[in-house]
CSV table of all heavy atoms in Angstrom, one decimal:
chain,number,residue,atom,x,y,z
A,229,ASP,N,-20.0,12.2,-9.0
A,229,ASP,CA,-19.6,13.0,-7.8
A,229,ASP,C,-18.4,12.3,-7.1
A,229,ASP,O,-17.8,12.9,-6.2
A,229,ASP,CB,-20.7,13.1,-6.8
A,229,ASP,CG,-21.8,14.0,-7.3
A,229,ASP,OD1,-21.6,14.8,-8.2
A,229,ASP,OD2,-23.0,13.8,-6.8
A,230,MET,N,-18.0,11.1,-7.5
A,230,MET,CA,-17.0,10.4,-6.9
A,230,MET,C,-15.6,10.7,-7.4
A,230,MET,O,-15.4,11.0,-8.6
A,230,MET,CB,-17.2,8.9,-7.1
A,230,MET,CG,-18.4,8.3,-6.5
A,230,MET,SD,-18.4,6.6,-6.8
A,230,MET,CE,-20.1,6.2,-6.2
A,231,ILE,N,-14.7,10.8,-6.5
A,231,ILE,CA,-13.2,11.0,-6.8
A,231,ILE,C,-12.7,9.6,-7.1
A,231,ILE,O,-13.0,8.7,-6.4
A,231,ILE,CB,-12.5,11.7,-5.7
A,231,ILE,CG1,-13.1,13.1,-5.4
A,231,ILE,CG2,-11.0,11.8,-6.0
A,231,ILE,CD1,-12.5,13.7,-4.2
A,232,LYS,N,-11.9,9.5,-8.1
A,232,LYS,CA,-11.3,8.2,-8.5
A,232,LYS,C,-10.4,7.8,-7.3
A,232,LYS,O,-9.4,8.4,-7.1
A,232,LYS,CB,-10.5,8.2,-9.8
A,232,LYS,CG,-10.1,6.9,-10.2
A,232,LYS,CD,-9.4,6.9,-11.5
A,232,LYS,CE,-8.8,5.5,-11.8
A,232,LYS,NZ,-8.0,5.5,-13.0
A,233,LYS,N,-10.8,6.7,-6.7
A,233,LYS,CA,-10.1,6.1,-5.6
A,233,LYS,C,-9.8,4.7,-6.1
A,233,LYS,O,-10.6,4.1,-6.8
A,233,LYS,CB,-10.9,6.1,-4.4
A,233,LYS,CG,-11.4,7.4,-3.9
A,233,LYS,CD,-12.3,7.3,-2.7
A,233,LYS,CE,-13.7,6.9,-3.2
A,233,LYS,NZ,-14.7,7.0,-2.2
A,234,SER,N,-8.6,4.1,-5.7
A,234,SER,CA,-8.3,2.8,-6.1
A,234,SER,C,-7.7,2.0,-5.0
A,234,SER,O,-7.1,2.6,-4.1
A,234,SER,CB,-7.4,2.8,-7.3
A,234,SER,OG,-6.2,3.5,-7.0
A,235,TYR,N,-7.8,0.7,-5.1
A,235,TYR,CA,-7.1,-0.2,-4.2
A,235,TYR,C,-6.7,-1.4,-5.0
A,235,TYR,O,-7.2,-1.8,-6.0
A,235,TYR,CB,-8.1,-0.6,-3.1
A,235,TYR,CG,-9.1,-1.7,-3.5
A,235,TYR,CD1,-8.9,-3.0,-3.1
A,235,TYR,CD2,-10.3,-1.3,-4.1
A,235,TYR,CE1,-9.9,-3.9,-3.5
A,235,TYR,CE2,-11.2,-2.2,-4.5
A,235,TYR,CZ,-11.0,-3.5,-4.2
A,235,TYR,OH,-12.0,-4.5,-4.6
A,236,ALA,N,-5.7,-2.1,-4.5
A,236,ALA,CA,-5.2,-3.3,-5.1
A,236,ALA,C,-5.8,-4.5,-4.3
A,236,ALA,O,-5.6,-4.6,-3.1
A,236,ALA,CB,-3.7,-3.4,-5.1
A,237,GLY,N,-6.6,-5.3,-5.0
A,237,GLY,CA,-7.2,-6.5,-4.4
A,237,GLY,C,-6.5,-7.7,-4.9
A,237,GLY,O,-6.7,-8.1,-6.1
A,238,ILE,N,-5.6,-8.3,-4.1
A,238,ILE,CA,-4.7,-9.3,-4.6
A,238,ILE,C,-4.5,-10.4,-3.5
A,238,ILE,O,-5.0,-10.3,-2.4
A,238,ILE,CB,-3.3,-8.7,-4.9
A,238,ILE,CG1,-2.7,-8.0,-3.7
A,238,ILE,CG2,-3.5,-7.8,-6.1
A,238,ILE,CD1,-1.4,-7.4,-4.0
A,239,GLY,N,-3.8,-11.5,-3.9
A,239,GLY,CA,-3.5,-12.5,-2.9
A,239,GLY,C,-3.1,-13.8,-3.5
A,239,GLY,O,-3.1,-13.9,-4.8
A,240,ALA,N,-2.8,-14.8,-2.7
A,240,ALA,CA,-2.4,-16.1,-3.1
A,240,ALA,C,-3.5,-16.8,-3.9
A,240,ALA,O,-4.7,-16.7,-3.6
A,240,ALA,CB,-2.0,-16.9,-1.9
A,241,ARG,N,-3.1,-17.6,-4.9
A,241,ARG,CA,-4.0,-18.4,-5.6
A,241,ARG,C,-4.7,-19.5,-4.7
A,241,ARG,O,-5.8,-19.8,-4.9
A,241,ARG,CB,-3.3,-19.2,-6.8
A,241,ARG,CG,-2.9,-18.2,-7.9
A,241,ARG,CD,-2.2,-19.0,-9.0
A,241,ARG,NE,-1.0,-19.7,-8.7
A,241,ARG,CZ,0.2,-19.1,-8.6
A,241,ARG,NH1,0.3,-17.9,-8.8
A,241,ARG,NH2,1.2,-19.8,-8.2
A,242,LYS,N,-4.0,-19.9,-3.7
A,242,LYS,CA,-4.5,-20.9,-2.7
A,242,LYS,C,-5.1,-20.2,-1.5
A,242,LYS,O,-5.1,-20.8,-0.4
A,242,LYS,CB,-3.5,-21.9,-2.4
A,242,LYS,CG,-3.1,-22.7,-3.6
A,242,LYS,CD,-2.0,-23.8,-3.2
A,242,LYS,CE,-1.7,-24.6,-4.5
A,242,LYS,NZ,-0.7,-25.6,-4.2
A,243,THR,N,-5.7,-19.1,-1.6
A,243,THR,CA,-6.4,-18.4,-0.5
A,243,THR,C,-7.5,-19.3,0.0
A,243,THR,O,-8.3,-19.8,-0.9
A,243,THR,CB,-6.9,-17.0,-0.9
A,243,THR,OG1,-5.8,-16.2,-1.4
A,243,THR,CG2,-7.6,-16.3,0.2
Side-chain angles (χ1 to χ4, degrees):
D229 292 336
M230 295 181 188
I231 297 170
K232 184 177 176 188
K233 304 173 282 190
S234 63
Y235 75 101
I238 57 177
R241 287 182 301 278
K242 294 183 179 179
T243 300

